[in-house]
Structure formats: C-alpha cells, structure tokens
Amino acid sequence: MPKKLFNNVCEEQIFSLIYKRFSKELYDTLYYRYGNQINTKDKVQDAFVKLWENCKNIEFENAKGFLFVTAKNLSLNEIKHNKVVLNFANTAPTQQAEEPEFIKEADPKLLRYKEALEKLTESQRVAFMLSKIEGKKHSDIAAILGISQKTVEKRIYAALKKIKEAIKK
C-alpha cells in the first residue's frame, strides 16, 4: 500500500496549500450559485475555519469535498436566517408604535379614528370591523353574529356616523 504523502491537514504548510488551491474555486462556486444573497468571502473563510477546527479528522484527499459541502451548508443557513429576519421585520410591530412619542407625532385624524373606535359600542365595533377591516358581506356578518342583516346595516351605519363626527372635530 503506498504511503500517503499528505495526510495531516493540520500542518500549516499543507493547510496553506489547500487554501491556495481551493479558495478561489470555492469563492467562484459560491458566488455563481448564491450571488449577493450571502457574503461570499465570509463563507469561504468560515469553511476554512471549520476545516482547521476539524483538521485531525479530515484527510488531504477529502479536504476539497469537506470545504465545498461546509461552505454550501453555511450559505444555505445564512439564506434561511435572512428569510426569517425579513419575515419577522415585515410582520412584527415596530417598537416605535408602542412609544408615547410616536403617538404624539402620529396623524391627528388617525388618533381621532382610534378614539372613535374605542367609543363605539361593542356591537357597533364588531359589525364595523367585520365589514370594513375583514371585508365580510352584511349577510355573512349577520350569520356570524346571529342577527338580521338589517340590524347589521344599522350598526355599521351608526358606527360610520360616529367615526365621521369624531374625525371632523
């Protein structure tokens, strides 16, 4: 059986050789595959860090495969993380909305609208919200609330009248 010439990736010279041989190819592969979705240079460096951390377990012949699989997994993890962050940013309320300074600076009509909604009776508010916010038809609201369609119309009309008066002030 022939003796392996390079079997210890932990040696600095061998690791340097691996870096020189594969870093550009790894960078190009990641850049062409993922573009600007990730920081390609960081992922290349992170893959080499993982190689160094696991150098005792990896033979020279397997170093390229290890690097490419590790870099791919790190890239996919970052893309997945970025999607989660983006979804959270789009759905989470901003902290400013809860601060009193924001309320003072908000549009006065919007504040009057919110106050008017709070002053409506519960039955008016529920009918109004189902109609205007959720876009339900009067017949559907009547079925949900267990009342006649005419009663739903009266509640929505009364709510609209009160809201308009509050906003005009």
Side-chain angles (χ1 to χ4, degrees):
M1 186 170 203
K3 184 179 175 184
K4 292 184 180 179
L5 189 59
F6 304 113
N7 66 352
N8 192 354
V9 178
C10 293
E11 290 181 27
E12 203 171 316
Q13 293 173 335
I14 299 193
F15 188 83
S16 179
L17 176 71
I18 292 170
Y19 183 81
K20 288 176 184 172
R21 187 179 289 179
F22 300 124
S23 63
K24 173 90 170 95
E25 182 182 353
L26 182 58
Y27 175 86
D28 291 344
T29 301
L30 291 176
Y31 185 77
Y32 293 133
R33 183 174 285 172
Y34 303 111
N36 291 332
Q37 292 179 320
I38 62 166
N39 187 337
T40 308
K41 288 181 182 179
D42 283 352
K43 295 303 157 231
V44 170
Q45 292 300 317
D46 291 344
F48 276 97
V49 167
K50 294 273 187 194
L51 177 64
W52 183 256
E53 290 171 348
N54 295 296
C55 65
K56 292 180 181 175
N57 304 327
I58 298 165
E59 295 180 9
F60 179 79
E61 296 82 25
N62 299 330
K64 180 180 179 182
F66 177 85
L67 285 170
F68 279 73
V69 169
T70 301
K72 180 185 94 171
N73 290 339
L74 290 168
S75 300
L76 292 174
N77 287 343
E78 182 176 334
I79 291 169
K80 186 193 284 187
H81 174 73
N82 290 343
K83 285 181 182 178
V84 169
V85 168
L86 184 63
N87 286 339
F88 180 76
N90 289 337
T91 59
T94 61
Q95 190 169 358
Q96 285 183 331
E98 299 171 359
E99 296 177 1
E101 295 81 37
F102 176 79
I103 294 172
K104 291 177 186 174
E105 296 173 4
D107 183 20
K109 286 185 180 182
L110 179 62
L111 291 175
R112 288 194 297 262
Y113 173 75
K114 288 180 180 179
E115 289 172 359
L117 280 177
E118 291 172 3
K119 291 179 181 176
L120 295 175
T121 65
E122 184 179 351
S123 59
Q124 290 173 338
R125 186 173 40 256
V126 169
F128 178 79
M129 299 295 266
L130 287 172
S131 173
K132 303 302 178 191
I133 306 299
E134 294 187 20
K136 298 207 180 285
K137 296 178 182 178
H138 292 187
S139 57
D140 295 338
I141 297 170
I144 291 169
L145 298 177
I147 55 177
S148 71
Q149 186 172 336
K150 192 70 173 169
T151 305
V152 169
E153 291 170 4
K154 286 181 181 179
R155 288 179 182 177
I156 293 172
Y157 176 76
L160 279 172
K161 187 175 177 183
K162 287 181 182 179
I163 290 171
K164 283 180 184 179
E165 289 173 5
I167 291 176
K168 284 182 182 178
K169 290 181 181 178

